[in-house]
Amino acid sequence: MAISKKIYFASDLHLGVPDAGRSRQREKHFVAWLDQIKGDCAELYLVGDLFDFWFEYKRVVPKGYVRLQGKLAEFADAGIPIHYFVGNHDLWQRDYFTEEFNAIVYMDPVRRNLYGREFFIGHGDGLGPGDHGYKAMKKVFRSRFMQWCFHRLHPNFGIGLADYLSRTSRKKTGHKDAIDYGEKEFLRVFCREELQKHPEIDYFVFGHRHLPQEFELEKGKYYINLGDWISHFTYLEVGDAGVFLRHFPLDRDPVRADAHL
């Protein structure tokens, strides 16, 4: 009997924090999940912040993460499409993932029709109302000039500096990721506004917030947050049978993202 193929989503590993030992444990856990899904994976969506910091020099990338990269190479060699959305911690992606893993890299959210359902997919940073300081900073960091300036730094200094700043930022604001803001959640507000313009969208799928959530915006329309691989180890599974928000190792009773099916 033919295996029913599925599409998988995961985000927010933040590899590199809080230290090398615990980062490697999470990396191994994620690779074990990739091993489990490889047999029935039609496509893999990595929805941002796989790394707590990532920058590509012309001939240098951050040290480590070889277990994850080796597994992604296996997926690529097996012909499984890899979709990589840059997050706020790994927005300095260039062509490494495209060249090594044939990944399609997205700088902005996209729309996709998957198994007859319309999806809006993105990391989630900078969407919705407020957070004007971050939105302005994001434009600066995504500018070619800013990246050119950073390229002038020696990798030992540049990567070390950026890693320090990333860790400092997480210490100051990381606690906000654990807060459920309910109806004031900026991504929920964004989804509701987007639905007014595009009522054909069935699912909004984001990372960034680190809280695994599924919320029915209106009948048959859902906001889903993928959670993270720091505390929750959650992922999304999409297939003929439906859309499921799951935990690895698998729950006996996974949270259904489309309970109406």
Side-chain angles (χ1 to χ4, degrees), residues 58-196:
K58 187 174 182 179
R59 294 184 177 86
V60 177
V61 295
K63 179 181 177 181
Y65 322 125
V66 294
R67 291 162 181 80
L68 172 60
Q69 293 184 54
K71 190 56 60 177
L72 293 180
E74 284 185 26
F75 272 57
D77 292 345
I80 300 171
I82 298 171
H83 304 267
Y84 194 112
F85 290 75
V86 300
N88 51 305
H89 281 255
D90 51 8
L91 55 82
W92 280 345
Q93 283 277 349
R94 293 176 67 85
D95 54 12
Y96 180 77
F97 272 63
T98 300
E99 292 180 354
E100 294 296 328
F101 316 119
N102 200 30
I104 305 169
V105 177
Y106 305 92
M107 297 294 175
D108 298 294
V110 299
R111 296 256 307 265
R112 290 289 182 271
N113 189 282
L114 307 175
Y115 293 94
R117 306 173 184 89
E118 194 70 17
F119 285 76
F120 185 104
I121 308 161
H123 182 62
D125 59 311
L127 299 180
D131 208 4
H132 301 295
Y134 169 72
K135 291 175 181 177
M137 184 180 69
K138 183 177 179 179
K139 289 182 180 179
V140 172
F141 276 92
R142 287 183 64 167
S143 71
R144 286 293 183 184
F145 176 72
M146 182 67 177
Q147 294 179 42
W148 181 88
C149 290
F150 198 87
H151 266 282
R152 310 280 73 80
L153 301 176
H154 188 281
N156 285 349
F157 178 76
I159 292 177
L161 173 64
D163 185 56
Y164 168 77
L165 293 175
S166 178
R167 291 167 187 263
T168 302
S169 173
R170 176 156 296 283
K171 286 180 180 179
K172 289 182 178 180
T173 63
H175 65 282
K176 296 180 180 179
D177 295 333
I179 300 173
D180 184 351
Y181 295 97
E183 289 301 316
K184 294 181 180 180
E185 164 65 56
F186 65 89
L187 283 174
R188 289 195 199 179
V189 174
F190 172 82
C191 292
R192 292 189 187 282
E193 293 176 349
E194 198 70 13
L195 265 181
Q196 297 303 309

Side-chain angles (χ1 to χ4, degrees), residues 197-233:
K197 296 180 286 186
H198 301 285
E200 68 277 11
I201 297 175
D202 299 305
Y203 294 92
F204 294 86
V205 178
F206 299 111
H208 187 54
R209 287 285 289 111
H210 291 222
L211 282 175
Q213 293 181 320
E214 60 91 13
F215 181 80
E216 190 170 27
L217 300 162
E218 57 183 64
K219 186 172 177 57
K221 309 293 183 178
Y222 293 84
Y223 157 69
I224 298 173
N225 196 283
L226 297 168
D228 66 18
W229 284 72
I230 299 173
S231 303
H232 301 289
F233 309 102

